[in-house]
């Protein structure tokens, strides 16, 4: 991966050649439009996140850092046909910790808000946590090491042992900045 401004015209042509364009299906996209289909290569560090809107709570963020993986073509095809083959596909493996919501891959998926997420290149979870704190959006699931995380120092007043709970209390106390 490289910044878009460094992509050469030849590289852009290759990317477009590896992408197919499909009419969107009306059960998901009643307004119509197009969907791109591509398969991400494996081995890239990525961060998957999801902002869930929870009734009675508001927005809450989930973050999973990990890596893209390549599956054998036959395995990919079988799995791809189980969802909607007109969608882009990135096979993702989160970094697991052996405990909590990141005990193993299955536990991550069991705690994830839905079967979708937004994926960014690089391990940017610490940046997302800092942004969420600034906006007063609690983060309720992440695998970012504590020594990489910055939150305002006032967060410590809401607890230093269980940082996830402290995040909720601080965000509730200070109120949202996104409204």
């Amino acid at each position: 991966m490289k910044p878009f401004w460094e992509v050469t015209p030849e590289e852009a042509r290759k990317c477009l050649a590896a992408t197919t364009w499909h009419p969107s299906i009306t059960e998901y996209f009643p307004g119509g439009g197009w969907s791109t289909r591509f398969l991400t290569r494996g081995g890239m560090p990525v961060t998957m996140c999801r902002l869930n809107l929870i009734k009675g709570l508001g927005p809450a963020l989930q973050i999973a850092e990990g890596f893209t993986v390549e599956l054998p073509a036959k395995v990919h095809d079988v799995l791809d046909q189980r969802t909607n083959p007109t969608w882009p596909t990135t096979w993702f493996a989160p970094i697991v910790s052996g405990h909590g919501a990141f005990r193993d891959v299955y536990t991550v998926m069991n705690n994830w808000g839905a079967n979708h997420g937004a994926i960014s290149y690089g391990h940017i979870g610490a940046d997302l946590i800092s942004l969420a704190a600034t906006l007063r959006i609690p983060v309720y699931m992440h695998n970012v090491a504590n020594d990489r995380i910055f939150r305002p120092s006032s967060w410590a007043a809401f607890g230093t042992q269980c940082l996830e709970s402290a995040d909720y209390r601080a965000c509730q106390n200070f109120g949202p900045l996104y409204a």
Side-chain angles (χ1 to χ4, degrees):
M1 293 288 290
K2 59 181 169 180
F4 72 89
W5 58 86
E6 292 179 9
V7 174
T8 67
E10 179 58 27
E11 290 168 328
R13 277 191 286 283
K14 287 180 181 179
C15 288
L16 287 172
T19 304
T20 56
W21 304 83
H22 304 268
S24 61
I25 56 174
T26 55
E27 66 191 87
Y28 290 107
F29 305 104
W34 291 91
S35 181
T36 58
R37 182 175 189 219
F38 58 84
L39 179 59
T40 304
R41 290 183 177 169
M44 294 188 291
V46 295
T47 301
M48 184 167 68
C49 65
R50 179 171 179 83
L51 186 65
N52 295 295
L53 299 177
I54 302 169
K55 187 175 183 177
L57 176 66
L61 185 62
Q62 294 178 295
I63 300 166
E65 293 184 338
F67 294 88
T68 60
V69 295
E70 288 187 38
L71 299 178
K74 188 174 183 178
V75 173
H76 162 73
D77 290 338
V78 168
L79 293 172
D80 204 36
Q81 293 300 320
R82 292 188 71 183
T83 60
N84 186 308
T86 67
W87 295 346
T89 302
T90 299
W91 298 111
F92 170 79
I95 298 168
V96 295
S97 64
H99 62 275
F102 286 88
R103 180 178 67 232
D104 54 46
V105 188
Y106 300 102
T107 309
V108 173
M109 279 308 299
N110 191 48
N111 286 284
W112 201 252
N115 65 338
H116 293 88
I119 298 177
S120 298
Y121 181 78
H123 290 156
I124 63 164
D127 298 323
L128 294 174
I129 291 170
S130 295
L131 177 62
T134 301
L135 296 173
R136 313 302 198 268
I137 297 172
V139 177
Y140 71 100
M141 180 180 165
H142 72 81
N143 60 349
V144 179
N146 285 339
D147 63 347
R148 292 180 45 219
I149 297 173
F150 171 81
R151 287 186 175 108
S153 60
S154 58
W155 255 236
F158 298 92
T160 59
Q161 292 300 308
C162 183
L163 299 179
E164 187 174 286
S165 296
D167 203 31
Y168 273 90
R169 289 190 296 276
C171 290
Q172 182 180 25
N173 181 68
F174 294 125
L177 290 183
Y178 51 83

